Amino acid sequence: MSFDSELFKHYWHLVAHRRELLDANDFVKFDTPLGELVLFNDQGTLVAFDNKCPHRGSRIYTQDCGNQAWACGYHGWSYQAGKVVVPDPQRFEACALNSPVLHAYQLEWCGDFIFVGIEPYSSLSEQLGSLTETLENISFNIAARRDFNRYPFECYWPIAIENALEPYHIPLIHTDTLATLGLTEGVNRFEGCNSVWRAPVSNSRIAKQLTGLKRLFNIDYQEEQYLSIFIFPFTMISSTFGYSYSIQNFFPAKTSAHTHFTSRLYAAPTASDNAATIVEPFLLSSAATNRKVFAEDHAVCKNVTSDAWTADPLPFASTLEEKIVHFREQCRTFTSLTNARNVS
Ligand code: FES
Ligand SMILES: [Fe+2]
């Protein structure tokens, strides 16, 4: 199995927030190096599975996200309340129908964030370590998903991740977007295999505007700066002042020619209906700016050839690329661990 598939298989991945799957039949679908993965609400219980009908493998969900009952259009099998329902069961030998089950994956909560695991090497709390508390706090300060943005990045996934891990490119690539915040060099923290970058906003006009918005939100956790969290190996969370959070998955594709990129914007709860009306243009503009930032990142990432990436130490590492150094160390550690497990 390839490095990408092994990583996908053996880590937990943040796939959704409780608020985007509140109603029965809400679902979200992902492409992964192991095939499709769907998370859906089965009458209040979340279920993750491979999007294949247990009868003869027809795909159940074809949209990226939405609300749709689990029903197979091929021969009419359905799934409800934890059971596969087969029409005309008398057509089958009794033994053949004893236990048609979904090919389901493990789920684990961190606050209101939900993670999926195929065969994770560690528990979710071990994987997240000291990051757990920050993620719980963020998850409890999210009211709703506001944007869902998906397209293939035309580059190998570690190139997109490493781009997201360094602020070195911000002045040249995000001139009219992220660079306008005037982010200072900030501070990196390494939390197990994960990393966090916190950088104050030095543009005092923007900082003042952002501080002034606080009265419109009903939040009990806020970092009044730019926050960028990397959850090894494929997920980033970013936020400016905690009024909204952008979560990006850079899942590997089956080839290194592209990456399954999904970004979602989640808004913090507002203080009142009136406050919600006032912040609406701000949230719309945040969603639009985020889309622009990712388009800028995509344009530069697709200019890097996939064979430019290895897990070897960077030949030239600036002080702004420490998180890449750490990321590559984690990749090498994972490879050694996997090789050792495969031998034993
Ligand atoms: S493949 Fe789904 S019911 Fe036959
Ligand atoms: Fe960027």
Side-chain angles (χ1 to χ4, degrees):
M1 190 178 276
S2 74
F3 171 64
D4 300 351
S5 300
E6 294 272 14
L7 273 174
F8 198 86
K9 197 169 172 185
H10 298 304
Y11 278 86
W12 291 94
H13 309 289
L14 200 177
V15 285
H17 186 271
R18 189 188 295 277
R19 294 293 178 111
E20 62 188 313
L21 295 161
L22 277 183
D23 296 328
N25 302 325
D26 282 348
F27 74 93
V28 60
K29 177 170 76 66
F30 298 91
D31 283 302
T32 86
L34 302 174
E36 290 187 329
L37 185 157
V38 165
L39 179 64
F40 72 101
N41 181 324
D42 176 31
Q43 303 192 338
T45 303
L46 294 189
V47 178
F49 80 118
D50 63 359
N51 200 25
K52 288 181 190 160
C53 178
H55 178 221
R56 292 217 330 261
S58 185
R59 293 165 74 230
I60 305 301
Y61 295 92
T62 53
Q63 306 295 312
D64 289 336
C65 59
N67 185 280
Q68 177 193 317
W70 195 116
C72 183
Y74 199 172
H75 311 95
W77 287 28
S78 59
Y79 182 90
Q80 215 175 48
K83 284 202 167 52
V84 177
V85 180
V86 181
D88 302 328
Q90 70 280 3
R91 290 184 184 278
F92 293 81
E93 295 282 341
C95 61
L97 276 189
N98 266 349
S99 54
V101 288
L102 303 191
H103 187 170
Y105 302 127
Q106 300 174 62
L107 292 172
E108 200 65 74
W109 293 95
C110 173
D112 278 345
F113 284 135
I114 190 148
F115 286 71
V116 68
I118 312 292
E119 289 174 25
Y121 280 160
S122 61
S123 67
L124 178 61
S125 59
E126 282 166 349
Q127 182 183 316
L128 297 177
S130 52
L131 201 52
T132 301
E133 193 180 342
T134 307
L135 293 180
E136 285 174 348
N137 282 328
I138 290 172
S139 79
F140 294 140
N141 283 272
I142 281 174
R145 186 179 73 205
R146 291 300 306 262
D147 193 26
F148 187 101
N149 178 30
R150 168 173 289 174
Y151 52 92
F153 259 42
E154 294 169 40
C155 69
Y156 188 32
W157 70 270
I159 287 165
I161 286 287
E162 291 192 350
N163 173 69
L165 285 174
E166 52 90 350
Y168 191 21
H169 69 280
I170 291 177
L172 277 184
I173 304 302
H174 303 303
T175 317
D176 301 323
T177 50
L178 208 46
T180 61
L181 296 175
L183 298 177
T184 59
E185 189 147 339
V187 175
N188 289 327
R189 266 183 68 113
F190 300 99
E191 317 222 12
C193 56
N194 316 291
S195 58
V196 183
W197 180 53
R198 293 178 164 91
V201 172
S202 76
N203 180 324
S204 53
R205 184 182 56 82
I206 293 178
K208 199 170 159 205
Q209 282 172 352
L210 288 167
T211 305
L213 287 174
K214 182 161 185 190
R215 65 189 170 81
L216 299 170
F217 286 92
N218 178 21
I219 50 180
D220 62 13
Y221 178 81
Q222 180 185 30
E223 299 207 18
E224 295 191 30
Q225 55 192 341
Y226 184 80
L227 173 69
S228 174
I229 297 173
F230 173 48
I231 304 172
F232 185 85
F234 305 128
T235 303
M236 305 286 312
I237 302 180
S238 54
S239 180
T240 310
F241 278 57
Y243 304 133
S244 65
Y245 292 91
S246 164
I247 298 192
Q248 305 119 50
N249 301 110
F250 295 91
F251 289 154
K254 285 188 173 147
T255 75
S256 61
H258 68 275
T259 297
H260 297 300
F261 168 71
T262 306
S263 77
R264 282 166 285 178
L265 189 74
Y266 299 91
T270 46
S272 64
D273 288 348
N274 191 35
T277 307
I278 298 169
V279 300
E280 184 62 17
F282 167 75
L283 291 173
L284 287 173
S285 136
S286 301
T289 303
N290 276 358
R291 281 181 174 240
K292 191 157 183 251
V293 168
F294 299 132
E296 291 164 349
D297 283 325
H298 180 216
V300 75
C301 285
K302 71 182 180 187
N303 201 31
V304 182
T305 55
S306 60
D307 61 4
W309 190 83
T310 75
D312 293 342
L314 276 180
F316 312 102
S318 73
T319 52
L320 296 175
E321 292 164 296
E322 283 176 351
K323 292 206 301 175
I324 296 181
V325 171
H326 180 256
F327 166 69
R328 291 195 180 196
E329 282 167 9
Q330 304 314 306
C331 290
R332 296 196 298 277
T333 302
F334 174 77
T335 301
S336 309
L337 183 64
T338 302
N339 289 343
R341 279 181 178 242
N342 289 344
V343 166
S344 64

